[in-house]
C-alpha cells in the first residue's frame, strides 16, 4: 500500500466525544499520531448525520487551507 498520505500531507480529524463504537481517547490518539488539526464535537459515531454543519465546516476549512496556505501541494482530487 505504500506510505500513508497522512505522513506527507496535512490532515484534519473530527473526534466524536460521545462515540460508543470507537473510544474518543483512541480517536484523539489517532489524530495526534497523524499530526492532524483536530475538531471535537459532542456527537456519537455518526457525526456526519447528527452534526452535518460541523462536518461540512471542517471539510471547508481543510479545503481553504490546502488551496490558499499550501502552495506547491499536490492538487486536490
Amino acid at each position: 500500500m505504500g506510505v500513508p498520505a497522512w505522513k506527507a500531507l496535512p490532515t484534519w480529524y473530527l473526534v466524536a466525544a460521545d462515540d460508543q463504537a470507537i473510544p474518543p481517547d483512541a480517536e484523539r490518539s489517532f489524530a495526534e499520531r497523524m499530526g492532524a488539526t483536530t475538531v471535537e464535537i459532542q456527537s456519537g459515531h455518526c457525526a456526519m448525520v447528527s452534526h452535518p454543519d460541523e462536518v461540512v465546516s471542517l471539510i471547508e476549512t481543510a479545503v481553504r487551507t490546502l488551496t490558499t496556505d499550501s502552495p506547491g501541494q499536490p492538487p486536490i482530487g
Side-chain angles (χ1 to χ4, degrees):
M1 289 183 53
V3 177
W6 57 262
K7 287 194 173 190
L9 299 172
T11 56
W12 286 259
Y13 198 105
L14 182 70
V15 172
D18 298 325
D19 200 327
Q20 299 296 307
I22 302 171
D25 284 341
E27 294 180 20
R28 291 180 197 102
S29 178
F30 301 153
E32 183 178 348
R33 178 178 175 203
M34 293 187 310
T37 299
T38 304
V39 173
E40 186 163 332
I41 61 173
Q42 295 299 312
S43 174
H45 187 67
C46 293
M48 68 291 288
V49 174
S50 61
H51 293 81
D53 294 337
E54 290 91 334
V55 174
V56 168
S57 179
L58 175 65
I59 294 168
E60 289 174 340
T61 298
V63 169
R64 272 194 309 277
T65 301
L66 290 173
T67 57
T68 60
D69 293 344
S70 303
Q73 287 289 337
I76 300 171

